[in-house]
Amino acid sequence: MGEEREVVILGSGCAGLTAAIYAARANLRPLVLAGKMPGGLLTTTTVVENYPGFPEGMDGFSLMSGMQKQAERFGAEVRFGEVESVDLSRRPFALATDDGEVVARALIVATGAGHRHLGLESEGLLENKGVTYCATCDGALPMFRNQPLVVVGGGDSAMEEAMYLTRFGSRVFVVHRRDQLRASKIMADRAKANQKIEFVWNAVVSEVLGVDAGRVTGVRLRDVATGAGRELACAGVFVAIGHVPSTAFLKGQLELDAEGFIVLKGGTRTSIAGVFAAGDVADRTYRQAITAAGTGCAAAIEAERYLAAQA
Ligand code: NAP
């Protein structure tokens, strides 16, 4: 049997690190496996303006490194590493990580969600060569300055990305597959009022152009109503079509819904007693830093009670 822990937390975003603070303060010496993106999605944003307690905003990276230090101060161990597979039919639960096996009496899954991709071959070939999933991370790069840019999507993320990109691009085209936005009214109105943003309705990107050049030179669009194709020149493609929960390693082990989100059974409880879920991995609705932190706190409290009841 591998290294034994009372509580293992998978993921080091707002949900995972808040769970770690609470579990550590309950003397459970939690192990946090930091995952693919240590610090989570917030480390890819600039200023976080809606996290309570910071009236002037706070940069995402500092917020997350503060949470990590706070968890460590109370005895949490944050380790770089990822879980590869789990066996939740055993007790304690067995976790195969890239650094050996760990067993846990209670497990908190806070692995979050990754960016949804269009699924085009050309998209993959041009990733980081003009195709990106994060305007705040990459928008200011010289390759995008004073160039036409394309944002794909019709939700709040697409509106936010498009508005941010108007600082850098010469023009920002928002390509959406319908003729109505999914975005909230306030975000949609702001984007529509922005002179630098142009909407391309009822269109999907069928190919990202520029593979031979080694950088994005444009997109091929297909009109979903007529099937007609056309090309639009651009230097960047910002894909903002939602997120996919990071739960591939849980398939067949824990109840997931059709899109892979963990199904909750009241509070942060999952289909398996002793396994709790927090943050975006189980949230289709709110997906905010503060709600992730809140459910991380709840998961740690529920894990603590579960362990106490087992003793
Ligand atoms: P979302 O609301 O799920 O929107 C995804 C958009 O991408 C939709 O317009 C969808 O089209 C489109 N889409 C999905 N798959 C596609 C595909 N394969 N090809 C082309 N288009 C595709 O995701 P989100 O914008 O990331 O927002 C997620 C949550 O975070 C929401 O609750 C949102 O309110 C919140 N959020 C809030 C803020 C803010 O308030 N500042 C900022 C960002 C996000 P359809 O509309 O046709 O389905």
Side-chain angles (χ1 to χ4, degrees):
M1 201 154 73
E3 177 185 353
E4 263 189 87
R5 292 281 178 155
E6 290 290 285
V7 180
V8 172
I9 298 165
L10 303 179
S12 55
C14 273
L17 290 178
T18 305
I21 292 168
Y22 275 77
R25 285 173 59 84
N27 267 343
L28 293 170
R29 244 180 25 91
L31 170 65
V32 180
L33 285 178
K36 252 193 204 76
M37 188 188 271
L41 276 181
L42 268 200
T43 57
T44 67
T45 63
T46 46
V47 184
V48 182
E49 288 184 328
N50 53 11
Y51 200 88
F54 302 99
E56 305 305 324
M58 173 76 162
D59 85 89
F61 186 82
S62 306
L63 183 62
M64 296 319 299
S65 62
M67 280 191 205
Q68 178 170 336
K69 283 188 196 126
Q70 195 174 350
E72 287 170 339
R73 180 158 86 86
F74 294 110
E77 183 188 343
V78 181
R79 195 182 284 174
F80 287 107
E82 266 189 81
V83 69
E84 288 169 348
S85 64
V86 293
D87 184 350
L88 304 181
S89 64
R90 275 174 47 185
R91 305 243 165 191
F93 306 122
L95 316 171
T97 78
D98 48 9
D99 190 30
E101 192 187 55
V102 180
V103 297
R105 292 183 58 216
L107 181 65
I108 296 175
V109 184
T111 43
H115 300 284
R116 176 175 283 128
H117 291 200
L118 293 166
L120 303 169
E121 191 186 358
S122 51
E123 173 193 18
L125 292 170
L126 289 167
E127 187 168 347
N128 298 324
K129 294 174 183 160
V131 172
T132 133
Y133 302 87
C134 178
T136 43
C137 318
D138 302 325
L141 292 173
M143 68 198 284
F144 300 131
R145 299 263 169 159
N146 299 314
Q147 299 290 324
L149 303 173
V150 162
V151 172
V152 188
D156 280 335
S157 298
M159 299 309 107
E160 201 169 62
E161 304 255 303
M163 283 186 280
Y164 182 74
L165 290 171
T166 57
R167 302 185 200 179
F168 310 108
S170 57
R171 191 138 196 81
V172 178
F173 296 92
V174 176
V175 174
H176 183 38
R177 63 184 178 181
R178 294 188 291 140
D179 62 357
Q180 272 179 10
L181 295 173
R182 180 174 295 279
S184 57
K185 187 163 172 1
I186 185 166
M187 300 283 279
D189 287 349
R190 268 191 222 159
K192 284 178 179 168
N194 192 314
Q195 299 293 313
K196 270 182 134 182
I197 296 178
E198 188 175 320
F199 286 88
V200 182
W201 303 109
N202 296 315
V204 291
V205 174
S206 55
E207 188 185 347
V208 184
L209 304 172
V211 172
D212 289 342
R215 64 177 173 83
V216 169
T217 56
V219 287
R220 194 184 309 283
L221 299 176
R222 183 168 48 80
D223 186 303
V224 290
T226 66
R230 70 169 171 117
E231 289 182 9
L232 180 63
C234 66
V237 178
F238 294 78
V239 181
I241 59 171
H243 295 88
V244 186
S246 305
T247 53
F249 67 100
L250 292 170
K251 253 183 208 142
Q253 295 281 331
L254 199 64
E255 190 178 335
L256 307 176
D257 71 13
E259 285 180 51
F261 288 92
I262 295 176
V263 175
L264 296 179
K265 304 284 179 182
T268 61
R269 289 188 296 281
T270 69
S271 58
I272 294 201
V275 180
F276 305 89
D280 286 1
V281 78
D283 178 7
R284 294 170 157 279
T285 315
Y286 306 108
R287 299 177 194 163
Q288 302 298 307
I290 187 67
T291 50
T295 53
C297 157
I301 291 174
E302 291 189 41
E304 183 190 351
R305 290 182 183 161
Y306 165 82
L307 289 169
Q310 304 291 302

